[in-house]
Amino acid sequence: MHVEIAIPEHYMQEIRLLTGNNSFYRDAFLDAGYSVLDSGSLRAPERGHADACLERIAIIEIADGSLDTAAETAGRMMGEGARVLCLARADTPAVRGFLFEAGIADLFTADRPRELVESVAAPAEPSDGERGVFVMLDDRGARVRIMRSVAGRFGYGLRSVVTVEEFFEELEADFTASFVNLGASGFNINGFIRRSHSNGRIKLAPFMAYKDTREGIFVNEVISGLNRLTKAILSPEEMFGFVTGMLFRKEIVGPLDEISLILGYPESAGFARESFGRLCFSLGMGAFEMANVLNEADHARMRNAVERMRRALAKSNGIRWLVRDVEKLPTCGAGGA
C-alpha cells in the first residue's frame, strides 16, 4: 500500500546513505522530498535557512561481520551531528550488542525502503507538546542517547545526570518517572537510600532501578531498603524494553479508545465477533435505532484517530528490537515480587 508522507515545510531532513545498495533506498527518499547524499560529509545548513530546522540522518547498514567498521562510521556521523539509524538483515545478539554499545536506538529490517522512509518522517510531524519528563541517573552516554531517542519520539523529555546529588536536584522540578543505574561510577546504594528517605519526592512518580548483570547484583543492593522504592532491579535491556512497550501502548491506546467510545464499545463488541445474521437476531429492533457513527463530526474524529495510530506505528518501527518476548520475571527481585 502506497502511503503519502507529508514533511512540514519548516522542517528539513538530510539523509546520508551508507548501505550496500544506496540506490535501492535513494529513490524512496527522493520521492518523499528528501535531500539525499551517498558519499562525503553531511552538508552544513545553507544561508537563508536560519529559521529551518535541519536534521541530519545517517543510515548505516550493519551485519555481524562488519560491526567494527560500522562503529567507526557511526562515531564519525555522530561527530558531525547526525542521528544514526541502522539497517540489518538479521536481529542478532551481536547486532543488538553493537546498538547498545553505540547508543543507537533505531534498527530497521533491510530491503524495506517505504517502511524506512515512513518511520523517518513520523517524528517530524507536529506533536501535542511535551507530555512529561523522565529523570535518569547514568554515566553511560550510549544509554542516555537511547533513552532520549525513545522518550522523545513519544513526546517525553529527558533530564540526565551522573551523580546522586544532581539526581535529587532534578527531582525538585516536575517529573514523570525516574531511572537509576545502580552501577554508575561512584554510586553508593546506602547513601542513595538515605537521601531517598529524607526526600519524599522520589515516591511521587515511578522509580526504576537497573544494572548491567555483567557487573553483578550484590545482596546489599537488594536488602538495602531499595525494596521500599521498587520491586525489581532490571537489566538495562529489560528497562529499555519496558519503557518502549509502555510508551507505545500509551500512544496507540489513546486513539483506539477514542474510536471505541464513538462506536459505543463494549455495547458494540459483538460486531467484532458475531456474523451479520447473528447480530441482526440479537439486536432485534435495536438494530434500527443505533446512532449514526458516520456523521461528519464522528467520521472526522475516527479519521484523525486512525492517522494518530499510523504515526504511532511508524515512530515505533525502529525501536521494536528493544522489546523482547516475556520469558521470565525481571532480573532481580527487590521485595519478593
Side-chain angles (χ1 to χ4, degrees), residues 80-326:
E80 294 183 17
R83 178 164 70 97
V84 175
L85 284 60
C86 287
L87 302 173
R89 299 184 183 281
D91 175 4
T92 67
V95 164
R96 292 170 57 81
F98 165 81
L99 296 171
F100 279 121
E101 190 67 26
I104 297 171
D106 288 277
L107 175 66
F108 295 89
T109 303
D111 297 339
R112 298 181 184 175
R114 291 300 304 176
E115 188 176 90
L116 175 62
V117 174
E118 186 178 63
S119 297
V120 168
E125 298 180 48
S127 65
D128 299 329
E130 194 169 82
R131 298 169 181 172
V133 176
F134 296 149
V135 177
M136 183 179 191
L137 191 165
D138 201 325
D139 58 348
R140 289 287 300 275
R143 288 187 194 141
V144 173
R145 282 196 298 274
I146 292 176
M147 178 66 91
R148 193 179 303 280
S149 179
V150 171
R153 75 189 62 201
F154 294 113
Y156 290 80
L158 178 69
R159 300 198 298 264
S160 64
V161 299
V162 296
T163 69
V164 170
E165 186 67 30
E166 292 173 321
F167 176 80
F168 283 100
E169 288 177 0
E170 291 295 341
L171 297 191
E172 293 304 312
D174 289 339
F175 66 104
T176 305
S178 61
F179 303 82
V180 170
N181 171 24
L182 302 181
S185 178
F187 182 83
N188 180 276
I189 185 67
N190 293 320
F192 180 82
I193 294 300
R194 285 195 297 271
R195 285 292 302 270
S196 299
H197 291 336
S198 63
N199 189 321
R201 289 189 60 81
I202 195 171
K203 296 181 180 180
L204 296 179
F207 169 81
M208 308 290 167
Y210 62 96
K211 188 176 183 181
D212 192 328
T213 54
R214 292 172 296 182
E215 300 170 5
I217 294 178
F218 303 104
V219 173
N220 70 307
E221 291 175 335
V222 180
I223 65 174
S224 61
L226 196 63
N227 60 318
R228 298 181 184 179
L229 299 175
T230 183
K231 293 298 182 182
I233 299 174
L234 308 175
S235 69
E237 292 81 4
E238 289 169 337
M239 183 272 290
F240 282 123
F242 167 78
V243 172
T244 301
M246 286 288 284
L247 292 181
F248 171 72
R249 285 176 185 271
K250 177 66 176 172
E251 183 90 351
I252 203 164
V253 166
L256 276 173
D257 185 57
E258 184 171 357
I259 291 176
S260 295
L261 289 172
I262 294 170
L263 295 176
Y265 190 87
E267 289 80 4
S268 64
F271 281 80
R273 306 185 184 101
E274 303 289 353
S275 67
F276 179 84
R278 289 286 299 273
L279 277 170
C280 289
F281 282 127
S282 61
L283 290 171
M285 289 301 295
F288 303 98
E289 300 170 356
M290 290 185 294
N292 174 17
V293 294
L294 290 176
N295 64 75
E296 185 64 28
D298 285 343
H299 196 257
R301 286 173 60 194
M302 287 189 284
R303 286 200 307 270
N304 179 266
V306 169
E307 176 60 19
R308 286 160 55 200
M309 291 169 63
R310 185 198 68 80
R311 289 203 304 267
L313 289 167
K315 287 190 290 187
S316 65
N317 187 57
I319 53 177
R320 289 188 298 120
W321 68 277
L322 287 167
V323 184
R324 313 306 287 180
D325 292 335
V326 177

